[in-house]
Amino acid sequence: MSSERVIENDEESVDNNETSGTEQVKEQRKTLECNECGGDLRKNEKRGELVCVDCGLVADDQHIDRGPEWRTFSSDDMDSKSRVGAPMTKMLHDKGLSTNIDWRDKDAYGNNLSSRQREKMHRLRKWNERYRTQGHQDRNLKLALSEISRMSSALGLNDQVQETASALYRQCLEKNMIVGRSIEGMASACLYAASRQCKTPRSLDEIYPVSRLSNDQSIEIDRAYRYIVEELELPMEPVDPKQYLNRFLNDLDIHPEKRTAMQQQAEKLLDATEEQNLHSGRAPTSLAAASIYAAGLLEKAGLTQTEVANVSDTTQVTIRKRYKEMLEAAGIPY
DNA sequence: ATGGTTTTTACTGCGTC
DNA sequence: GACGCGGTAAAAACCAT
């Protein structure tokens, strides 16, 4: 699509966002008339002008679309699809907005630079890098964000979680909450909170091993998490066991045919137990695990308690206890 | 700190393949 | 004999007070 698409006026560009560019143009041609002679007005895309076909009057020379560049399908998208600049991302410490100087000593055409130019570029690069990572806060952020990125890919978390975690860490930094605490611990805690907020929770037990904290330092993550929830007033609700179903079922590699049936069955069981207040006080992971095991029984998937316990970070004993009361709650004899 | 609850650990016997 | 399952007791972890 042309970057200088010419449209009737700015309001139109907002209202007709759902229709494609060509449709808009057709409609315009019918409605627009020259004030002087009544002839059709036609747009000149390259010049951004509206010109009368008959008398040559330039009706408007400022017809450049300042609206969003791409087609959008929801009002949320509208804001994010700005016409200019690189997309902003919170995953980079400078939101991806700083200057980058290529490390290759080539000019825009790919030719080698003269030695004089080369030296100049070296100096510029050096100073640019110094400027970018200037100050302790920026250094702090840079380290934290790279840790968040590393950990979230190790845990198979998506970009949305990573963005959320980065945003949380940024807030902590702005409120001066990091001083006196370890960057690693705070970053891990942000990631943990983000994974829950994005409905793809990871347990703290899963976070510990991918963080660079030693085993006896792992309580730092608990502490940091409580701290940021308190300070940032995050609305953290208890994790819904259903949010684990997908991942656990994936890890169990079940016959694709039984997979959906089991998930539905498990959700039904969780609903039944939820209604009878059997969820409170119980670890969400164990509830999810038990519902999966019970669903496996009902669907005859040949799942063992040990298998489910392994993927869910629980134990057979716990699964036993839970799945029985689940079947009972759902009124299913076993 | 305390007490109540859940979860884990470790160990057991039973039945089946 | 290996495996899945069920049960138990004691220890550990967790939570609200």
Side-chain angles (χ1 to χ4, degrees):
Chain A
M1 202 177 281
S2 161
S3 62
E4 286 195 8
R5 201 176 83 230
V6 179
I7 51 94
E8 192 181 4
N9 58 41
D10 284 340
E11 284 170 8
E12 280 273 330
S13 77
V14 175
D15 292 340
N16 285 357
N17 217 283
E18 304 268 338
T19 56
S20 77
T22 47
E23 279 167 11
Q24 268 184 35
V25 172
K26 274 177 201 161
E27 278 181 23
Q28 278 171 28
R29 291 229 173 98
K30 280 177 202 159
T31 54
L32 286 180
E33 285 180 5
C34 175
N35 288 334
E36 296 291 317
C37 64
D40 279 354
L41 288 179
R42 193 163 291 170
K43 66 194 176 67
N44 180 322
E45 296 215 12
K46 273 191 182 162
R47 302 173 71 111
E49 293 173 343
L50 269 180
V51 186
C52 174
V53 181
D54 295 334
C55 64
L57 174 83
V58 177
D60 195 337
D61 59 358
Q62 297 291 318
H63 265 200
I64 294 172
D65 180 5
R66 293 184 180 79
E69 169 74 82
W70 307 301
R71 289 187 67 189
T72 58
F73 302 95
S74 75
S75 55
D76 282 353
D77 283 353
M78 285 267 304
D79 300 327
S80 60
K81 295 190 173 176
S82 159
R83 178 173 283 277
V84 293
M88 289 227 289
T89 170
K90 293 181 173 120
M91 296 192 286
L92 294 175
H93 77 291
D94 50 16
K95 302 186 184 176
L97 292 180
S98 65
T99 310
N100 277 310
I101 300 179
D102 197 20
W103 57 271
R104 285 177 292 255
D105 288 319
K106 306 267 183 171
D107 65 14
Y109 302 101
N111 300 321
N112 288 321
L113 297 173
S114 67
S115 62
R116 216 186 143 87
Q117 285 282 5
R118 209 158 44 226
E119 265 185 56
K120 189 178 170 188
M121 292 312 290
H122 280 146
R123 283 199 304 276
L124 280 173
R125 260 201 293 276
K126 201 187 223 165
W127 281 104
N128 185 48
E129 193 59 27
R130 280 186 193 167
Y131 173 75
R132 269 214 294 171
T133 56
Q134 186 191 39
H136 64 282
Q137 283 216 333
D138 252 2
R139 285 170 195 281
N140 185 324
L141 194 54
K142 202 178 178 182
L143 179 61
L145 296 190
S146 80
E147 278 303 286
I148 287 174
S149 162
R150 185 184 58 79
M151 288 189 285
S152 53
S153 52
L155 291 168
L157 290 164
N158 61 25
D159 282 0
Q160 196 206 340
V161 181
Q162 209 176 315
E163 285 260 7
T164 310
S166 306
L168 285 176
Y169 193 87
R170 220 173 261 283
Q171 283 182 51
C172 294
L173 207 54
E174 275 165 20
K175 295 198 169 192
N176 251 325
M177 292 162 57
I178 315 287
V179 280
R181 265 164 270 268
S182 78
I183 296 175
E184 185 78 22
M186 288 297 279
S188 310
C190 288
L191 188 62
Y192 172 66
S195 77
R196 285 178 57 167
Q197 284 192 330
C198 296
K199 301 196 187 301
T200 48
R202 294 294 182 274
S203 65
L204 279 170
D205 286 329
E206 293 175 281
I207 308 245
Y208 297 146
V210 299
S211 84
R212 292 196 200 280
L213 292 169
S214 61
N215 284 339
D216 53 326
Q217 286 176 312
S218 56
I219 42 161
E220 271 189 39
I221 305 180
D222 293 64
R223 273 207 286 262
Y225 170 69
R226 280 173 225 276
Y227 179 59
I228 64 174
V229 169
E230 171 90 5
E231 284 296 312
L232 301 179
E233 291 169 17
L234 298 179
M236 300 301 295
E237 287 173 15
V239 179
D240 183 353
K242 285 183 197 170
Q243 290 173 3
Y244 286 113
L245 290 181
N246 240 319
R247 184 155 59 96
F248 291 169
L249 284 166
N250 282 342
D251 290 346
L252 283 168
D253 38 74
I254 294 156
H255 269 280
E257 304 150 23
K258 295 187 174 171
R259 160 73 209 246
T260 37
M262 279 183 59
Q263 179 149 6
Q264 282 168 6
Q265 189 64 254
E267 281 177 11
K268 237 165 71 183
L269 288 167
L270 286 172
D271 283 335
T273 40
E274 166 101 75
E275 269 180 32
Q276 305 193 23
N277 267 340
L278 292 169
H279 280 202
S280 83
R282 272 74 188 269
T285 46
S286 54
L287 291 167
S291 74
I292 287 175
Y293 177 73
L297 281 184
L298 297 173
E299 300 295 329
K300 309 219 186 310
L303 271 181
T304 68
Q305 295 174 352
T306 320
E307 285 174 308
V308 183
N310 281 339
V311 299
S312 61
D313 258 326
T314 57
T315 62
Q316 309 157 31
V317 183
T318 314
I319 291 178
R320 279 202 280 277
K321 284 183 129 167
R322 296 287 152 265
Y323 95 84
K324 288 198 168 179
E325 74 185 16
M326 260 182 194
L327 291 176
E328 209 163 319
I332 302 170
Y334 59 94

